[in-house]
Amino acid sequence: MIAKVITDLALDREFDYLVPPGHESEYAVGGAVKVPFGRASRSGYILSFSERSDFDPAKLRMLEGPAADRADIPPNLVALGKWIAEYYCASQEHAIRTLLPAAVRNGKVRERKCRVYFVPDHAAAAKYLADHAEDARLDKRRNVLRLVLRRPDAVRSEYTADADYSAGAFDALVRAGLIASREESIAPDPLAGVEPVPDAPLSPTPDQKKALDMLEEMERTPDGPHVLLLYGNTNSGKTEVYLQAIAKTLAHGRSAIVLVPEISLTPQTVRRFRARFGGNLSVLHSRLTDRERFDEWNRINSGQVKIAIGARSALFAPFRDLGLIVVDEEHDGSYKQSESPRYLARDVAVMRGKLEHARVILGSATPSAESLYNAKQGKFRLCRMASQVADKPAPIIRIADRRLDPPPEPGVSNLLSPMLIDAVRERIERAEQTILFLNRRGYARALCCPQCGYEARCPECSVNYNYTYSRSRGVLSCHLCGNIVPAPVNCPQCGSPEIRYLGSGTEKLESVVHAVFPDARIGRMDSDMMRTPGDYEAVLDKFSRGKLDILVGTQMIAKGLHFPGVTLVGVINADQGLSMPDFRAQERTFQMLTQVAGRAGRGERRGEVIFQTGRDSEVLQFAANLDFDGFSKFDLEFREMLDFPPFSRLIAVIFKGEDEKAVAAYAAAFAAELQVYKHDQVRITAPAPAPIEKIRNQYRYLMTIRGRKLKTIREAVRILALHRTPPAGVSVAVDVDAQDLM
Ligand code: ADP
Ligand code: ZN
Ligand code: ZN
C-alpha cells in the first residue's frame, strides 16, 4: 500500500511512500507521520492511500512511523483542506496548515504568556526609518518595523505569516527597543471565574418557530438545501434561533460551530451562549496563548466539548460529528482571509456542512448579494424574520445635504452641518448621548503647501493622500505600508511656514466638536487612541456610565455596541465609501450606514440619525429609509447589468514586484497563456495597474477573470500560479471570489 504524504515544504506536491507491510492499521488519512526526505527525516500528513504510484515502486521509500509528537488531522478536515487548496488556488501545504492551529501543528507547546508587540515611540521609529532609508542591509528591519506599525498589538504568530517578517530582524528591533511588547491583560476566557446565570430557552415567536421548523424540515430532506439564510434585523430574535438550533443538535448527539466576526466576540456574546450551555462551550479568540489554544483544540478533538464559538478559524474546530454551523453576520468582510489560502469562511462553512452532512445557518440583517442570490436560485432556504421581538420604533434618519448649507465663516471648520450641530446641542441639553462617526483616523489626510504646490505623500506607495497626519504624535503615517516620517513644520520644498492640512480624520473631528461644544465631555475611539485593550474598555466604560456626552470614532464604534443612552448618531461623510473603484462599494456603504444607525435609540427614547453627504445617492436614500429590500434589488440589478458577482464568479490575480516592467511583462505572459482556456462565458481583463498601483515600492498589476463556468480556467490559473516560477523579484497571488479589487 502506498501513502500520499504532504510535508511542510510548500511545494504543492504529494510524495509517495510505502506503508510498512503488516503495519497498515497504524496509519490513517490525516495521520501525522515521519518520512525520510533526502538524507533527513521530515514530518508530514497522509492525505490518501493508493494501490499504485507513478514512480518506480522499487525506488519508493518507507514511512518511518507515526509522528508521536504531532496531532493527527481529523479525516473529514483533510477533505475540506483539499477542497480549499483546489478552489482557492492555494498550495496543499498552505491549505493543510490552516486546518490546525500552529501550537497543535508543531506539537510544541511553549508555556508562554500571550505577548503582543507594538512600536512604543513613533517619533523614534520615524527617525530610524528616515535615517536608514538608503541602507539596503537594513531592508528587513525596516520592513518588520513597518509591519508592526501597520498592525500593532498582535501576537508574534500573527506576524510570522507575513512576507515582511524576518525573525532575525524582529529580534534585533526588540533588542534595540524600537519594538516593545507587553503581556496581554485580557483574561483568556472573558468569563473566567464568573458563573453566568443559567437561562432557559424562550418560547419561540412565530418567526422563530418558522425558522426552527425550516431547519427540521431540512434535516428530514437530505437531498434538499442544507443552508438556511436567516434574514432579520437586530432584535428580530436570530440569536435565540441559533441557541435553540444548537440545543437540538446536541440532543441528537452532534456538535455545533458558531462563527462570529472577531469584533463581535465580546463578553456579552459569550455570556449568552455560556448561560445556555455552560461548560460545554469552547471559546476560540485570537488572544489565546499557545497553551490555551492547544488545550481548547484537544478538548474539542476528544469530544469533551460539543460547541465551539469563535472567529474565522473556529470553522476548523476538529469535531467529528458536526451537525450545525452558524455563521452570524454572514456578510461581514472579516470572513475573508487575506493571505494564502484566501478563503471566505462563510463559503467554506457551506462546503464543510455539505461534506459532513451538517446544516448551516447564515444570519444577517443585511445579507450579502451572493447569499440572497443563492436563496433565489433555490440553493439556500430563506427565512425572513420580519418582526422585532422587542417592539422598538426604528430611528428617524435624516440626510443633511451639505450643498444646501450656507458657506462656513472663514476660519471655521465645516465638518459639522448646522443640522447636526442643532441636534447635538439638543442632546446635550437633555443629557442624552451622541455618537459621531467618521471612518478615517488621524488629524488630516493631506499636507500641502499653498506657496509652491508641494504635496506630502509616501514615496513608496502610489495613491494620493496616502499619508495620515497625527497631530498629537507629530508624524505622518502611510496607511498602505505603515511608513512613518516626522511631520514637517515648514514646507520641505520652499521653506514656507504656511503648510496646510486638508481632509479630516477623527482627531480633527474631536477638536472641532470641542470647539463647538466647549462644555461637552468628549471621548474618542480609533486605532490611534487605543494603545492597549484597557484604553478601549476605559472609554467604553466612561461612555456607558454617562460620563461622556459625545463619542467620536471610526468603524471601531460601528458594530455591536449597546448604549441605551445614545439617542443621536451623526455620520460625518456618509458618502465617503461610494467613490471607491470597487463593485462592492455600494453594498459596503449600505451595510456600514445601517450598522452605525443601529447604535441610536437602543434605550427608552427613539433614536435619530443624521447622514451628512455632499452628493445625491440612491444608496443613502435606501439606507435612510432602512429599506434593505429596495437596496438589494437596486444593487443586484446594477451587478447583473455589469455581470459582476453573484451573476458571475470572479478571480483576481495580482502580480507584484519592484521592477514595473518585469511585473507587466510577466502579467502579460500569464494572461496570454490563459487565453486557450477562455470560452464565451468567460471574460478576462488584460492585466493593468491596480487601483493601488504601488505599495512599498512594489508595483501591482491586477487581472480579473469573470464568468460563469470557471472551473477549467481556475485549474489553469492554479497551475500557472503555483507550479510556474516567475522571474526573480516577481510574485503572483490568486484571490478567488475576491472581496475587494484594490
Ligand atoms: P438578534 O440576534 O436578531 O439581534 P436576539 O435573539 O438577540 O435577536 O433577540 C433580541 C432580544 O429579544 C434579546 O434580548 C432576546 O433575549 C429577546 N428575545 C429573543 N427571542 C425571544 C422570545 N422568543 N421571547 C422573548 N424574548 C426574546
Ligand atoms: Zn512650499
Ligand atoms: Zn507607503
Side-chain angles (χ1 to χ4, degrees):
M1 195 161 57
I2 287 153
K4 308 233 169 226
V5 173
I6 195 130
T7 67
D8 39 14
L9 300 165
L11 298 169
D12 191 43
R13 218 192 115 176
E14 297 169 6
F15 294 91
D16 291 0
Y17 289 93
L18 290 169
V19 178
H23 291 263
E24 286 83 359
S25 64
E26 289 166 31
Y27 299 95
V29 166
V33 288
K34 289 242 176 293
V35 294
F37 199 92
R39 267 191 267 163
S41 160
R42 282 192 168 273
S43 26
Y45 292 99
I46 299 178
L47 289 191
S48 60
F49 293 102
S50 167
E51 297 296 319
R52 286 183 304 117
S53 168
D54 296 337
F55 299 94
D56 178 1
K59 291 204 180 137
L60 288 184
R61 301 168 79 180
M62 197 98 72
L63 294 175
E64 282 175 3
D69 57 337
R70 294 188 178 220
D72 297 337
I73 305 173
N76 49 349
L77 283 180
V78 173
L80 190 66
K82 278 189 187 160
W83 179 80
I84 289 175
E86 245 151 62
Y87 184 80
Y88 291 104
C89 298
S91 70
Q92 300 196 56
E93 292 83 354
H94 279 165
I96 291 291
R97 198 150 60 161
T98 57
L99 301 175
L100 296 179
V104 175
R105 205 170 54 232
N106 301 335
K108 274 183 262 156
V109 183
R110 280 153 296 177
E111 270 289 3
R112 46 154 217 191
K113 288 279 172 0
C114 178
R115 185 163 277 289
V116 298
Y117 294 84
F118 63 100
V119 175
D121 183 346
H122 280 209
K127 186 164 180 316
Y128 181 87
L129 289 171
D131 290 352
H132 304 290
E134 305 298 327
D135 190 345
R137 285 168 309 167
L138 295 175
D139 271 356
K140 282 188 178 161
R141 293 193 193 183
R142 291 207 325 272
N143 287 343
V144 169
L145 185 56
R146 285 153 62 163
L147 171 64
V148 178
L149 280 163
R150 222 161 45 237
R151 226 189 295 158
D153 303 332
V155 296
R156 182 97 170 221
S157 65
E158 286 176 57
Y159 297 118
T160 50
D162 197 285
D164 282 333
Y165 179 79
S166 139
F170 199 103
D171 292 333
L173 289 164
V174 170
R175 279 195 302 274
L178 285 157
I179 295 177
S181 69
R182 62 167 187 274
E183 262 172 33
E184 196 48 83
S185 57
I186 285 187
D189 181 339
L191 289 168
V194 183
E195 226 10 81
V197 190
D199 81 342
L202 304 165
S203 130
T205 63
D207 275 347
Q208 289 170 336
K209 175 134 189 3
K210 185 174 67 178
L212 293 164
D213 286 349
M214 285 171 88
L215 283 166
E216 288 215 340
E217 196 195 313
M218 282 163 51
E219 177 106 324
R220 283 195 303 271
T221 46
D223 296 335
H226 69 294
V227 183
L228 179 70
L229 177 59
L230 199 57
Y231 159 33
N233 283 335
T234 314
N235 281 329
S236 59
K238 296 188 297 298
T239 308
E240 184 62 30
V241 171
Y242 306 157
L243 292 167
Q244 301 204 14
I246 293 169
K248 285 208 174 120
T249 305
L250 299 190
H252 287 128
R254 299 177 77 184
S255 324
I257 294 174
V258 182
L259 298 187
V260 296
E262 178 79 41
I263 195 162
S264 319
L265 194 58
T266 59
Q268 274 159 309
T269 311
V270 175
R271 196 169 298 135
R272 256 181 108 180
F273 284 83
R274 267 281 138 79
R276 202 64 64 86
F277 303 111
N280 203 357
L281 177 73
S282 176
V283 182
L284 304 167
H285 57 81
S286 62
R287 295 289 159 91
L288 293 179
T289 65
D290 275 358
R291 172 92 238 169
E292 286 157 348
R293 204 172 288 283
F294 184 85
D295 290 346
E296 289 304 322
W297 193 89
N298 281 304
R299 262 161 32 99
I300 296 168
N301 195 37
S302 61
Q304 282 176 55
V305 293
K306 290 292 202 180
I307 311 166
I309 182 169
R312 206 163 57 213
S313 63
L315 177 56
F316 304 113
F319 292 118
R320 283 142 206 274
D321 49 6
L322 192 63
L324 178 71
I325 308 176
V326 174
V327 184
D328 192 28
E329 311 273 2
E330 64 89 28
H331 62 275
D332 198 274
S334 69
Y335 284 127
K336 182 80 170 167
Q337 162 129 316
S338 58
E339 269 134 35
S340 174
R342 297 179 176 79
Y343 68 90
L344 183 57
R346 182 233 302 149
D347 294 352
V348 181
V350 170
M351 182 45 82
R352 183 165 184 193
K354 187 170 163 203
L355 290 173
E356 299 181 28
H357 308 289
R359 287 160 307 158
V360 179
I361 306 178
L362 307 180
S364 175
T366 52
S368 62
E370 283 78 1
S371 295
L372 285 171
Y373 183 75
N374 280 329
K376 268 199 192 136
Q377 300 284 304
K379 281 202 205 153
F380 297 174
R381 301 284 313 270
L382 174 68
C383 181
R384 173 91 166 94
M385 312 262 291
S387 48
Q388 304 264 90
V389 180
D391 234 342
K392 269 225 158 95
I396 301 166
I397 306 185
R398 290 193 284 160
I399 293 181
D401 186 337
R402 303 307 312 276
R403 293 166 303 182
L404 306 178
D405 290 343
E409 285 163 39
V412 176
S413 156
N414 74 337
L415 262 184
L416 302 175
S417 61
M419 186 195 284
L420 186 53
I421 291 178
D422 286 347
V424 174
R425 184 163 294 132
E426 256 177 55
R427 296 311 180 297
I428 294 176
E429 279 161 12
R430 295 208 301 253
E432 293 169 13
Q433 290 174 303
T434 298
I435 285 180
L436 296 178
F437 178 83
L438 176 59
N439 211 0
R440 179 175 291 126
R441 66 193 167 81
Y443 190 82
R445 63 185 185 117
L447 181 154
C448 45
C449 170
Q451 292 301 323
C452 72
Y454 167 85
E455 189 184 289
R457 61 151 88 174
C458 172
E460 297 184 24
C461 304
S462 64
V463 179
N464 285 341
Y465 306 139
N466 48 21
Y467 270 145
T468 295
Y469 169 53
S470 165
R471 190 166 69 170
S472 56
R473 271 181 274 152
V475 294
L476 297 168
S477 64
C478 171
H479 66 91
L480 291 173
C481 72
N483 198 23
I484 59 178
V485 293
V489 182
N490 299 325
C491 172
Q493 202 162 277
C494 74
S496 159
E498 259 190 71
I499 201 122
R500 293 261 166 81
Y501 291 97
L502 306 174
S504 307
T506 39
E507 189 181 343
K508 169 89 168 281
L509 177 61
E510 183 189 18
S511 72
V512 170
V513 173
H514 191 72
V516 180
F517 305 104
D519 299 328
R521 298 160 301 168
I522 304 163
R524 186 175 109 219
M525 237 168 85
D526 56 35
S527 53
D528 283 342
M529 279 297 277
M530 303 297 129
R531 301 306 311 154
T532 74
D535 296 343
Y536 180 88
E537 266 140 38
V539 175
L540 289 185
D541 183 59
K542 256 180 153 176
F543 195 55
S544 70
R545 285 188 295 121
K547 302 267 178 225
L548 294 173
D549 303 304
I550 302 171
L551 182 62
V552 170
T554 54
Q555 73 242 39
M556 264 190 171
I557 58 176
K559 287 188 194 176
L561 301 179
H562 177 76
F563 296 114
V566 174
T567 59
L568 174 68
V569 167
V571 183
I572 304 304
N573 294 331
D575 52 349
Q576 184 181 345
L578 287 172
S579 41
M580 291 283 204
D582 190 323
F583 71 95
R584 284 196 178 84
Q586 306 188 148
E587 188 181 51
R588 289 215 189 94
T589 302
F590 186 94
Q591 287 164 353
M592 186 273 284
L593 292 174
T594 27
Q595 234 151 20
V596 189
R599 300 309 112 218
R602 300 178 73 83
E604 297 299 308
R605 291 193 90 108
R606 186 162 185 192
E608 183 184 356
V609 179
I610 294 176
F611 294 158
Q612 294 192 155
T613 177
R615 74 172 107 182
D616 297 314
S617 152
E618 274 150 308
V619 178
L620 294 191
Q621 290 294 344
F622 286 123
N625 297 328
L626 292 170
D627 180 8
F628 178 73
D629 293 322
F631 167 74
S632 84
K633 190 163 168 287
F634 166 81
D635 194 39
L636 281 172
E637 276 166 12
F638 157 80
R639 294 190 191 200
E640 185 164 24
M641 193 171 69
L642 298 172
D643 199 31
F644 272 121
F647 298 93
S648 63
R649 298 248 157 187
L650 175 105
I651 301 174
V653 187
I654 301 245
F655 304 87
K656 282 183 266 191
E658 288 200 3
D659 177 353
E660 185 174 10
K661 279 214 183 78
V663 173
Y666 190 66
F670 192 104
E673 290 215 51
L674 279 183
Q675 289 303 322
V676 281
Y677 303 94
K678 191 172 164 354
H679 50 79
D680 55 2
Q681 301 255 32
V682 172
R683 228 184 276 208
I684 304 181
T685 62
I692 299 176
E693 286 173 38
K694 190 173 80 167
I695 301 181
R696 257 167 303 151
N697 283 335
Q698 298 259 315
Y699 288 89
R700 309 170 75 247
Y701 271 59
L702 171 70
M703 171 174 90
T704 61
I705 301 160
R706 256 188 300 151
R708 270 151 233 245
K709 301 220 167 64
L710 289 191
K711 187 161 186 292
T712 323
I713 206 157
R714 195 182 63 225
E715 283 164 4
V717 168
R718 185 175 188 280
I719 290 178
L720 283 176
L722 296 177
H723 294 263
R724 193 64 69 77
T725 317
V730 177
S731 67
V732 182
V734 183
D735 193 353
V736 176
D737 299 332
Q739 296 296 295
D740 65 63
L741 294 176
M742 299 299 285

